[in-house]
């Protein structure tokens, strides 16, 4: 596995949502895991200064993806999060730069590693200092005169999350979908949810899938009403705690976002959303799929 350091920044829309979404997508890349995430920092724009402040962080990855393949995947993540390249160093929903890739040195039209501007950017150096193993190569470049321009950014609200992702045994088979990224690496204030148990279904239950406009168990029981109740109770809980970002388990008939199982119980995926996700989107809740 290679060790890679990335810098992420956003200054459009809900920047924290875009950063968190990008980190989730990086963690789900093939043969890749996010192993460390820095603190988040608010900083003035660099280069083209007539724009909103940025929120930045740095991420450590372990990956088997080679540099140009990783760059391609990063570009795909940026596109999926509405990155538009109109003004050089201009406003953006998300920007992801490769700073270091092991000890490699690469200079080409597509990629320069180490990143050619990292020594000049406190918004890269300071977050890197939080997570990098060799701090000496970073600290000597930090501009002490402009250090005060960076302010630590703490997301003060709760983040909604599917309880199974934190290791709670609420799946239909009594298990969970534990993910280290959310349970350990990211230090956030979570509001745990499980729409299916909110809807009155037991933890040990027959698996369910969406078919048409209804939800059926594998035994053919119509559970549409339970899933509807679960969605309503989830929204009520989110509103009670002022939550507008939620991380949902992918593919599920309640929490799936973008793709769900097709109702044949053959693990075939189709485009669509789970019942709770569909309801939350209608009520302006931002979804991150994991």
């Amino acid at each position: 596995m290679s060790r890679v350091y990335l810098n992420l920044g956003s200054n459009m829309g809900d920047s924290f949502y875009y950063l968190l979404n990008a980190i989730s997508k990086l963690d789900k890349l093939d043969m890749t895991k996010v192993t460390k995430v820095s603190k988040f920092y608010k900083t003035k724009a660099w280069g083209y200064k007539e724009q909103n402040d940025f929120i930045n962080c740095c991420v450590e990855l372990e990956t088997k993806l080679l540099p140009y393949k990783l760059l391609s995947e990063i570009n795909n993540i940026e596109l999926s999060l509405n990155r538009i390249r109109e003004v050089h160093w201009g406003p953006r929903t998300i920007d992801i730069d490769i700073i270091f890739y092991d000890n490699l040195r690469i200079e080409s039209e597509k990629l320069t590693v180490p990143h050619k501007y990292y020594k000049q950017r406190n918004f890269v150096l300071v977050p890197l200092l939080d997570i990098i193993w060799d701090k000496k190569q970073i600290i000597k470049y930090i501009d002490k005169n402009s250090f005060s321009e960076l302010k630590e950014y703490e997301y003060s609200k709760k983040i909604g999350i599917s309880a199974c992702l934190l290791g709670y045994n609420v799946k239909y088979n009594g298990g969970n979908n534990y993910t280290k990224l959310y349970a350990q690496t990211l230090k956030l204030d979570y509001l745990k949810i499980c729409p299916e148990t909110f809807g009155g279904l037991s933890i040990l239950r027959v698996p369910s899938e969406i078919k048409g406009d209804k939800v059926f168990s594998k035994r053919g029981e119509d559970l549409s009403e339970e899933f509807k109740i679960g969605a309503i109770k989830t929204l009520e809980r989110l509103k009670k705690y002022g939550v507008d970002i939620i991380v949902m388990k992918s593919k599920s008939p309640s929490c799936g976002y973008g793709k769900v199982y097709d109702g044949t119980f053959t693990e075939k995926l189709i485009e669509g959303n789970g019942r709770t996700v569909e309801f939350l989107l209608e009520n302006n809740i931002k979804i991150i799929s994991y």
Side-chain angles (χ1 to χ4, degrees):
M1 300 288 278
S2 293
R3 182 183 283 121
V4 181
Y5 292 94
L6 308 176
N7 181 260
L8 286 71
S10 171
N11 75 336
M12 291 179 67
D14 188 334
S15 291
F16 192 77
Y17 163 75
Y18 283 116
L19 290 169
L20 195 59
N21 209 334
I23 292 167
S24 297
K25 289 177 181 291
L26 288 166
D27 194 58
K28 294 199 79 175
L29 291 177
D30 288 343
M31 301 180 291
T32 301
K33 280 294 166 191
V34 171
T35 47
K36 294 180 184 177
V37 180
S38 74
K39 298 172 186 173
F40 295 85
Y41 294 87
K42 191 171 185 178
T43 181
K44 300 293 182 185
W46 189 91
Y48 177 67
K49 295 183 180 296
E50 300 301 315
Q51 56 181 310
N52 294 334
D53 291 349
F54 277 80
I55 300 176
N56 288 91
C57 69
C58 283
V59 166
E60 180 189 82
L61 299 181
E62 289 183 358
T63 185
K64 289 186 178 180
L65 298 178
L66 295 177
Y68 288 100
K69 177 60 174 174
L70 178 61
L71 178 64
S72 175
E73 295 290 355
I74 284 171
N75 289 338
N76 289 338
I77 289 172
E78 290 179 332
L79 283 172
S80 74
L81 296 177
N82 306 316
R83 169 71 189 269
I84 299 173
R85 299 175 187 272
E86 290 182 339
V87 178
H88 189 46
W89 292 327
R92 66 215 81 164
T93 56
I94 192 69
D95 183 43
I96 307 173
D97 288 330
I98 300 175
I99 309 301
F100 301 116
Y101 188 109
D102 283 339
N103 293 318
L104 289 183
R105 293 192 172 274
I106 303 170
E107 288 190 30
S108 71
E109 272 188 36
K110 288 186 175 181
L111 181 62
T112 300
V113 176
H115 193 282
K116 59 184 175 181
Y117 295 118
Y118 86 91
K119 295 176 184 177
Q120 304 167 40
R121 296 174 167 181
N122 271 8
F123 67 82
V124 175
L125 295 168
V126 174
L128 270 178
L129 203 58
D130 289 340
I131 61 173
I132 200 163
W133 63 276
D134 184 3
K135 299 184 187 303
K136 289 182 181 178
Q137 68 171 317
I138 298 301
I139 199 167
K140 61 184 176 182
Y141 297 118
I142 291 177
D143 181 357
K144 307 296 191 298
N145 295 322
S146 61
F147 189 81
S148 61
E149 291 181 6
L150 269 77
K151 294 180 173 59
E152 194 173 326
Y153 176 86
E154 291 190 18
Y155 189 75
S156 59
K157 297 194 295 184
K158 285 181 179 286
I159 300 289
I161 190 166
S162 294
C164 62
L165 295 175
L166 296 179
Y168 289 87
N169 295 323
V170 293
K171 283 182 65 176
Y172 70 91
N173 60 3
N176 63 70
N177 297 104
Y178 175 88
T179 171
K180 188 176 180 181
L181 176 65
Y182 286 102
Q184 292 186 34
T185 307
L186 284 164
K187 310 298 184 186
L188 299 172
D189 187 9
Y190 294 119
L191 177 68
K192 303 181 292 293
I193 64 100
C194 179
E196 291 172 32
T197 59
F198 288 177
L201 298 175
S202 61
I203 289 176
L204 285 173
R205 56 192 181 273
V206 177
S208 305
E209 293 186 6
I210 297 170
K211 190 169 185 178
D213 61 353
K214 293 184 178 295
V215 184
F216 293 97
S217 75
K218 197 171 183 179
R219 287 198 296 237
E221 304 158 297
D222 186 347
L223 300 177
S224 304
E225 187 62 23
E226 286 84 349
F227 275 73
K228 180 180 177 181
I229 293 169
I232 292 169
K233 287 188 175 180
T234 296
L235 181 62
E236 288 173 350
R237 190 163 170 77
L238 298 185
K239 286 190 171 181
K240 178 180 178 181
Y241 290 96
V243 174
D244 60 4
I245 299 174
I246 186 166
V247 183
M248 301 292 261
K249 177 65 185 77
S250 62
K251 305 173 187 176
S252 127
S254 54
C255 300
Y257 181 38
K259 289 188 180 296
V260 292
Y261 292 116
D262 71 344
T264 62
F265 298 93
T266 58
E267 299 189 353
K268 182 180 177 182
L269 290 169
I270 57 172
E271 290 187 5
N273 297 321
R275 287 294 180 258
T276 297
V277 164
E278 198 69 49
F279 187 61
L280 296 182
L281 289 171
E282 291 170 2
N283 286 275
N284 301 313
I285 303 296
K286 292 180 280 290
I287 309 293
I288 294 173
S289 180
Y290 191 94

